[in-house]
DNA sequence: GCAAATTAATGATTTATTCAAG
DNA sequence: CTTGAATAAATCATTAATTTGC
């Protein structure tokens, strides 16, 4: 399969600006994303029409882009940042600064974690891990989907018993 | 910049039969790393406090270990895998572009987009660029010509139109 | 073979973000 | 607008690999 298969508008060849009309959707360049991210970080969340047009105009120097792309970018980025925060805030509370004292587990809770708000006591059977290909997972960071599921189940799997069956834990995953 | 103040580990009597007596830093055993890696590859990214404690308890069978070690391990491993990934595919950015026609400010949002969901990690992209000294923007596979142009224009446009008050600092390096 | 010296990995800290609550 | 919660990124620091001279 050729790389052009996916239909991305690869910026490679189109130095001229117009490039291939083949691309179905905007494929931002590194520079474009950098600028947009900077703006976002600087506090810009919902740019006005004028701002959008200006930004778009500016970014067009880096490659093909339209105003709507800018608009959507902010929409999406804002939403995803929020979602990301929500997702992890429900289940992750760790210690920090505790390492200095070396208190270990104790201070973990001392940190005032709530953690347990994990509403669902979902009865998802914990066979999930066995479903994971493990080998095909590679080190990619496609954590999104799978992790969400695993996290819930992992609690079960790991918390199962722990009677110190040495290799038991490991074997169950291998 | 007081930085070197760290590292006062009171030479704890390291239990366990595996490690040394020094309180330098955790030195995981092969088994411990194996289990941690399996968990990671199974999708576990940011374990909860409970999970950390459980994992730590389990792994203590193989040698000295503390909860914080587990916590740090996942932090580091996650970050480094991502870093490794990012090194390679820097230009594969995809924002779920949206095939809408013209852009007209507010009306778009009114359109009722209901698609923002997939928590892709790709929008994270390379913030590395922000560290660049302004004009050394990357000598990636892109043509060189465009960059210098934008830097000037961007400064202009943003400085003129954006209402965001004190945040203009960002502009200094665009 | 073996240590001293150098380099690569990786454990542990610090810093800078983001969203959200008050 | 300020502050709390919780990272993830960047950085510091130490251990293990390895290279090198003998």
């Amino acid at each position: 399969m050729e790389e052009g298969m996916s239909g991305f508008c690869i910026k490679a060849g189109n130095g001229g600006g117009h490039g291939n009309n083949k691309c179905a959707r905007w494929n931002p360049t590194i520079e474009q994303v950098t600028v947009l991210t900077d703006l976002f970080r600087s506090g810009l969340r919902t740019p006005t029409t004028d701002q959008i047009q200006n930004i778009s105009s500016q970014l067009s120097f880096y490659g093909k882009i339209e105003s709507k792309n800018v608009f959507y970018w902010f929409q999406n980025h804002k939403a995803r940042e929020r979602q990301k925060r929500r997702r992890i805030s429900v289940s992750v509370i760790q210690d920090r600064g505790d390492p200095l004292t070396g208190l270990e587990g104790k201070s973990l809770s001392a940190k005032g974690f709530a953690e347990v708000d994990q509403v669902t006591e979902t009865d998802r059977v914990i066979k999930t891990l066995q479903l994971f290909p493990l080998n095909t997972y590679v080190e990619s960071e496609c954590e999104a989907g799978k992790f969400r599921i695993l996290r819930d189940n992992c609690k079960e799997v790991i918390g199962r018993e722990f009677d110190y069956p040495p290799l038991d834990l490991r074997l169950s995953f291998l």
Side-chain angles (χ1 to χ4, degrees), chain A:
Chain A
M1 81 191 255
E2 303 87 338
E3 47 261 321
M5 192 58 191
S6 55
F8 288 137
C9 184
I10 301 174
K11 55 185 183 291
N14 63 347
H18 40 288
N20 300 332
N21 21 22
K22 176 182 184 179
C23 61
R25 69 181 193 184
W26 177 51
N27 188 29
T29 66
I30 298 169
E31 295 77 18
Q32 288 172 336
V33 173
T34 300
V35 174
L36 290 170
T37 302
D38 282 338
L39 292 172
F40 184 86
R41 281 184 170 179
S42 299
L44 184 59
R45 284 190 270 177
T46 307
T48 65
T49 301
D50 284 345
Q51 290 175 322
I52 287 175
Q53 289 178 340
N54 282 321
I55 295 169
S56 177
S57 180
Q58 285 305 308
L59 294 183
S60 68
F61 282 103
Y62 293 108
K64 189 169 183 294
I65 190 173
E66 295 177 54
S67 292
K68 65 179 181 181
N69 300 135
V70 175
F71 173 79
Y72 289 139
W73 189 92
F74 277 96
Q75 287 281 81
N76 288 321
H77 196 70
K78 179 170 57 179
R80 284 167 188 153
E81 284 296 321
R82 185 187 311 158
Q83 281 188 358
K84 192 193 303 176
R85 276 306 171 212
R86 276 197 184 149
R87 278 266 177 251
I88 55 188
S89 67
V90 259
S91 64
V92 182
I93 295 85
Q94 259 90 28
D95 70 323
R96 210 96 184 4
D98 159 44
L100 288 174
T101 64
L103 288 178
E104 193 183 354
K106 253 196 300 187
S107 46
L108 280 174
S109 51
K111 197 69 178 177
F113 65 109
E115 209 269 286
V116 258
D117 264 340
Q118 199 72 9
V119 187
T120 66
E121 176 89 348
T122 359
D123 343 64
R124 294 189 167 205
V125 188
I126 312 63
K127 304 303 178 184
T128 310
L129 282 176
Q130 300 178 4
L131 297 177
F132 286 167
L134 287 179
N135 288 335
T136 60
Y137 199 85
V138 197
E139 329 296 84
S140 75
E141 49 182 270
C142 42
E143 63 263 46
K146 295 177 181 176
F147 176 64
R148 193 176 62 245
I149 298 170
L150 199 218
R151 196 182 56 204
D152 293 334
N153 293 319
C154 196
K155 190 176 297 179
E156 296 290 332
V157 174
I158 296 174
R160 192 171 39 191
E161 259 311 299
F162 287 172
D163 266 287
Y164 280 359
L167 297 174
D168 203 7
L169 206 196
R170 184 164 58 131
L171 291 174
S172 68
F173 292 116
L174 291 176

